[in-house]
Amino acid sequence: MTNSAAGIQRMSLDDFANTLPGVVYQFCVLKNGERKLLYISGGVKELFGCSPQEAYDDFNIIIAQIHPEERELHQKSICHATHKLLPWSVERRLKSVEGRDKWIEIKGVPKKLADGTVLWNAMILDISERKEMQAEIEILSTRDVLTGLPNRSFFSEQLRIALQHTKENPDHLFAVLIIGLDQFSVVNDSLGHNQGDILLRLVARRLISSVAAGDTVARFSDDKFLILLHEVENMQHAIYMAEQIRQSFEAPFILGPHRMFMTVTIGAVLSATDGKEAGDMLRNAHSALDRAKRNNRGGIEIFKAEMYNNALNTLKLHSELRNAIEHNQFFLHYLPIVSLKSGRIMGVEALIRWQHPQRGIVPPNEFIPAAEETSLISKIGTWVLEKACQDVQSWHKLGFRHIRLAVNFSAQQFITKDVIHLLEVMSTYNIIPQMLELEITERTAMLNTGQTRPILEELHDMGIGISIDDFGTGYSSLSYLKRLPCHVLKIDKSFVNDITDDQDAAIIAKTIIAMGHTLGLSVIAEGVERHEQLKLLKSFGCDEMQGFFFSRPVSSEQMIEMLQREKSI
């Protein structure tokens, strides 16, 4: 090629290169492997800091700027593509300048000439900005935005790596902890979500300061955190670390003018006692946390194999409950509520039963807690209410219009606004408000008062009775009780059982009765089984009772017979 021809070709390539971003270049690889630069565009100055002429003089001036860790790979890659005549597309990191990495993307197409030379037409693009964005996206995808902690996805990957290390080193032990904040919703309800967010950030910092520098702290969900203790000696060591974390929460959190005290419940699992998958460990640690919340809130629970079996049984129970709803396997019994003055039946409490196809009759204490963990409690509660109102309507038509109906109402039913459906059912079966009583536990009454109290006040204003069930076993907070719009206190049967033999139990029962009357409430004693109990409760001024002394729970038909016998006396 003559000098004039080469100049013309370069001018033509320059015109073409000016229409494209980055650096356009052309080189050939001779049969002996030597590379020779044939053309390079002016963009090389901005990207590599050298002029086109400097690149012609020494093509290695560009290769030398590729990061040392990637230079050998780069050379092998171009040799392979040249030998196979494959299109070439690679990303390479350049040596850092002023602490900032620069990334390039190289794309090229080879063509073999008649003399065996391979001609490459290629382009180099600066992709540093794209790489920075990818890095930011990757960080965001593995980080919790609120706390800045690793998220569950990142934690799972760290856990997978730890499990792999344990396979290769069987003597190595690590532990996974799930930290649950107790009553975090109270902060959101009372101080607002902004303060709740600040508290979560403070919790994250405290957790980080409670573990070793190499351990991983992550956010699991709204009020739960994960900790991977990368190296523990044994189960006792893991328990010790969990206890240190628990104790770190004894110091208050400062939220502006507020001093907040938080407790945590911790579920833990040791690698040696668990399965081989990250998901297994997370599931089992969560099972331990659930058990701790049920049995030892504010404490620590270590995963045991039976917890997994219990979780499977719970899952099976949920499925069976759905089937029970679909196939109408529930039925109601009624426990009479009797006046201690007249001895007559004044009302009934509706009690659900489950006719299980294999297990027979299942009592509510075996399935209601499981139903409350899901939305099933609303469906079951709706069925109970409709069936009970239907039965009471039939009693009223027979002339027993004085019988009031007591129905248990769970916290979940308040949250899902089942009270709206309650009013529709009452209208359908002509049940006036004064003949209906909703039984709620102390826990339901005292927790989330900002949510439940307005609903209770509205029901109270309509004339619907509110009964505090199992009184004395929960919060027993008089400051809350006097503000709650309730009508009835029910003394828990645990006190009634011992009132004739235990002076303290008798004093408690007598005090509850006196307190209830002082607040203008009626008092019902649960679980009355003996005449001596009845006599003593009557002397205390108790208003009504229910229990086996008078009657066991009966069907609707048996209830009608009892009312007819009572009427004939």
Side-chain angles (χ1 to χ4, degrees), residues 176-203:
V176 171
L177 311 180
I178 292 188
I179 318 295
L181 303 182
D182 299 330
Q183 304 304 329
F184 173 71
S185 60
V186 175
V187 178
N188 281 335
D189 292 342
S190 57
L191 300 182
H193 288 276
N194 288 338
Q195 293 296 309
D197 289 347
I198 294 172
L199 177 60
L200 288 173
R201 295 189 192 102
L202 295 175
V203 167

Side-chain angles (χ1 to χ4, degrees), residues 25 40 152 169 198 260 270 278 351 400 404 425 493 520:
Y25 69 109
I40 193 163
R152 181 176 177 176
N169 303 273
I198 294 172
M260 298 295 302
L270 192 67
L351 301 174
F400 306 113
R404 70 181 191 272
V425 173
K493 64 180 180 180

Side-chain angles (χ1 to χ4, degrees), residues 1 5-20 24-27 38-42 56 119-122:
M1 184 182 292
I8 292 171
Q9 185 185 32
R10 285 186 182 177
M11 288 178 62
S12 176
L13 283 171
D14 280 338
D15 291 340
F16 174 69
N18 288 335
T19 67
L20 299 173
V24 175
Y25 69 109
Q26 187 180 71
F27 68 97
L38 302 178
Y39 170 80
I40 193 163
S41 65
Y56 288 128
L119 179 68
W120 279 93
N121 290 303

Side-chain angles (χ1 to χ4, degrees), residues 393-412:
Q393 182 190 48
S394 68
W395 305 344
H396 287 178
K397 288 180 178 179
L398 292 173
F400 306 113
R401 304 193 63 82
H402 66 288
I403 298 298
R404 70 181 191 272
L405 171 66
V407 179
N408 290 283
F409 219 68
S410 73
Q412 186 67 25

Side-chain angles (χ1 to χ4, degrees), residues 376-439:
L376 294 176
I377 190 63
S378 290
K379 294 181 179 180
I380 293 174
T382 296
W383 180 88
V384 169
L385 183 64
E386 291 184 353
K387 175 59 178 168
C389 285
Q390 183 181 10
D391 287 342
V392 171
Q393 182 190 48
S394 68
W395 305 344
H396 287 178
K397 288 180 178 179
L398 292 173
F400 306 113
R401 304 193 63 82
H402 66 288
I403 298 298
R404 70 181 191 272
L405 171 66
V407 179
N408 290 283
F409 219 68
S410 73
Q412 186 67 25
Q413 288 176 274
F414 276 102
I415 295 172
T416 54
K417 304 293 190 295
D418 280 7
V419 289
I420 297 174
H421 186 66
L422 163 71
L423 303 179
E424 295 174 354
V425 173
M426 290 172 59
S427 175
T428 299
Y429 294 101
N430 297 315
I431 304 297
I432 62 173
Q434 291 73 17
M435 301 311 295
L436 181 65
E437 200 168 274
L438 300 183
E439 293 193 3

Side-chain angles (χ1 to χ4, degrees), residues 238-496:
I239 294 173
Y240 170 78
M241 292 299 298
E243 179 61 22
Q244 292 295 107
I245 292 167
R246 191 191 67 78
Q247 289 182 11
S248 73
F249 280 78
E250 292 178 357
F253 292 91
I254 308 302
L255 297 177
H258 305 285
R259 286 165 55 88
M260 298 295 302
F261 288 89
M262 297 293 296
T263 60
V264 293
T265 302
I266 302 176
V269 62
L270 192 67
S271 57
T273 62
D274 201 73
K276 299 179 180 180
E277 301 295 332
D280 293 336
M281 287 201 75
L282 287 176
R283 179 200 64 213
N284 293 341
H286 208 287
S287 294
L289 176 64
D290 288 342
R291 184 181 179 93
K293 285 189 171 184
R294 288 194 300 269
N295 303 331
N296 187 27
R297 185 174 288 272
I300 300 166
E301 187 76 45
I302 307 299
F303 173 77
K304 301 177 183 65
E306 58 265 26
M307 293 182 189
Y308 176 60
N309 294 329
N310 290 339
L312 287 180
N313 290 336
T314 300
L315 188 64
K316 180 182 178 183
L317 182 57
H318 288 164
S319 176
E320 291 180 333
L321 280 172
R322 287 186 175 88
N323 186 67
I325 294 171
E326 293 174 4
H327 294 85
N328 199 29
Q329 294 174 1
F330 295 116
F331 64 95
L332 291 184
H333 273 172
Y334 297 94
L335 185 62
I337 300 173
V338 180
S339 168
L340 285 175
K341 289 182 179 179
S342 66
R344 290 188 170 272
I345 300 172
M346 304 304 296
V348 294
E349 178 182 356
L351 301 174
I352 188 171
R353 298 291 186 264
W354 178 12
Q355 183 67 54
H356 193 283
Q358 284 80 42
R359 297 168 57 190
I361 296 178
V362 181
N365 63 302
E366 292 188 23
F367 65 86
I368 291 297
E372 288 180 332
E373 294 174 0
T374 68
S375 60
L376 294 176
I377 190 63
S378 290
K379 294 181 179 180
I380 293 174
T382 296
W383 180 88
V384 169
L385 183 64
E386 291 184 353
K387 175 59 178 168
C389 285
Q390 183 181 10
D391 287 342
V392 171
Q393 182 190 48
S394 68
W395 305 344
H396 287 178
K397 288 180 178 179
L398 292 173
F400 306 113
R401 304 193 63 82
H402 66 288
I403 298 298
R404 70 181 191 272
L405 171 66
V407 179
N408 290 283
F409 219 68
S410 73
Q412 186 67 25
Q413 288 176 274
F414 276 102
I415 295 172
T416 54
K417 304 293 190 295
D418 280 7
V419 289
I420 297 174
H421 186 66
L422 163 71
L423 303 179
E424 295 174 354
V425 173
M426 290 172 59
S427 175
T428 299
Y429 294 101
N430 297 315
I431 304 297
I432 62 173
Q434 291 73 17
M435 301 311 295
L436 181 65
E437 200 168 274
L438 300 183
E439 293 193 3
I440 61 175
T441 63
E442 280 187 274
R443 182 177 181 81
T444 300
M446 304 308 173
L447 283 179
N448 298 321
T449 53
Q451 187 173 17
T452 59
R453 185 178 170 186
I455 298 174
L456 291 175
E457 288 177 343
E458 186 175 349
L459 295 173
H460 177 275
D461 292 343
M462 292 173 56
I464 295 174
I466 307 297
S467 173
I468 307 299
D469 199 12
D470 301 333
F471 188 79
T473 61
Y475 288 84
S476 301
S477 172
L478 296 180
S479 62
Y480 277 112
L481 185 61
K482 70 180 182 181
R483 297 199 301 268
L484 282 175
C486 58
H487 301 76
V488 178
L489 295 183
K490 298 188 74 172
I491 305 174
D492 186 69
K493 64 180 180 180
S494 62
F495 299 116
V496 175

